[in-house]
Amino acid sequence: MAFSLDKSARDFAEAKQYIPGGVNSPVRSFRSVGGTPPFIAAARGSKLYDIDGNTYIDYVGSWGPMIVGHACPAVTEALRDAIGRGTSYGAPTLLETELAKLIRAAVPSMALVRFVNSGTEATMSALRLARGYTKRNKIVKCAGCYHGHHDSLLTKAGSGAATLGIPDSPGVPESVAAATLTVNYNDAAGLTELFRCHGGDIAAVIIEPVPGNMGLVLPRDGYLQTVRDITKEYGALLIFDEVMSGFRVGHGGAQAIFGITPDITCLGKVIGGGLPVGAYGGRREIMEHVAPAGPVYQAGTLSGNPLVMTAGIATLGIIQTPGFYESLTEKTARLCAGVREQAEKRGLALQYHQIGSMFCLFFGNRPVYDYDSAREADVGAFNTYFHAMLAQGINLAPSPLETVFMSSAHSDEDIAATVAASKVAFASVAEYLKRR
Ligand SMILES: *Cc1c(COP(=O)(O)O)cnc(C)c1O
């Protein structure tokens, strides 16, 4: 049977009548790769099932959360059990303390943890806390790092050192954007220069220690230590946005792998087991500035929701099993090596980045270390690869600036099928590059 998305295309057209662009988060719309997003009917293990009857091996994993696979029985059963006891109380539960304990055990820098409903809310609240704690206003972020869609962080500005923030989106006041300074990731000299000019006004540096929103980019040796040292020297807080990397690159997140202790950490994705969640936490003395312990206000009607906490506890319970991350990392390395072998047989130049269960391809022969170099990768080649993979039942993120997420539910057969599909897809890419 030929691959078809006819039903999805009809539903996509109808969705556009009711929802802006037909989606509730822009990248789902396939704007970058073109074509129709499959409308999903169900998911189980490593597989997604769409309304056209297609089955996919899924490497999006709901953009990161599904580290134990879709509809994981332990998570589903815990949720089924919890839902009979009510879906929200607006009052404290033991579940919140239990999840906070699991998080602190894995990420000791999070002495106190506050739960919120999304990663966006976590980073937004962390910035307010950093500003309230330091009594300074400016924030530093790296171009290409994504921290959610609130005003302060929706800027990437130009390249180079101290570019004053230009809003990325209409609706972000220039006054807000101007308080956000942007540097290039992996540019220690640029950051040092920025602090030399503005150090006394900087409340915090917020950074994805391992950026996963410009494709997957890895820190240069010593870079994160420099970021830690400079922030400490100037009395600014270091906020690690581990919404994606937390419980993903390893049990203790990127901070454990690179041995850097941030002042505040933001989490999301995996800790909610596929339900909407975020969290921020850090040193007790800082976190005690958050209301009601302190004056920095932050609240949430559904924060710490019992279903979310239940899914999070069940998920973190599974990933504590000894060897969980070793096995996931090994599996991801095997996929990466298999795909690479196929590309090299075709004589295609690619950059391969992997850490833990995250893996990303950049089409091109130049090293990728920041946003500008990531955007130099060949978009046309990626789009060709993407559609050839989709048609063979492999669901990759529909953008060259995203990453692959492996789950514990992916089997050796899934990996073999993905490598085999890559062989075919790389042939299409080679054909495309010849024609172009
Ligand atoms: C996904 C993500 C966010 C935003 O989380 P939402 O739950 O989508 O609001 C923030 N930071 C990073 C690093 C992310 O990957």
Side-chain angles (χ1 to χ4, degrees), residues 118-120 146-148 208 213 241 243-244 269:
S118 68
T120 294
Y146 178 67
H147 303 292
E208 292 180 74
N213 288 288
D241 180 354
V243 170
M244 183 184 285
K269 298 195 168 110

Side-chain angles (χ1 to χ4, degrees), residues 86-127:
T87 55
S88 182
Y89 318 127
T93 63
L94 296 174
L95 297 167
E96 294 155 84
T97 312
E98 192 178 343
L99 187 55
K101 276 186 188 168
L102 286 169
I103 288 173
R104 188 167 86 185
V107 189
S109 71
M110 299 178 78
L112 296 183
V113 182
R114 169 60 61 83
F115 290 108
V116 292
N117 304 291
S118 68
T120 294
E121 228 185 293
T123 59
M124 178 185 79
S125 308
L127 290 194

Side-chain angles (χ1 to χ4, degrees), residues 63-79:
W63 302 89
M66 312 314 298
I67 196 165
V68 296
H70 294 285
C72 174
V75 179
T76 306
E77 274 154 36
L79 280 171

Side-chain angles (χ1 to χ4, degrees), residues 310-321:
T310 298
I313 292 164
T315 302
L316 295 204
I318 297 167
I319 66 190
Q320 277 183 345
T321 342

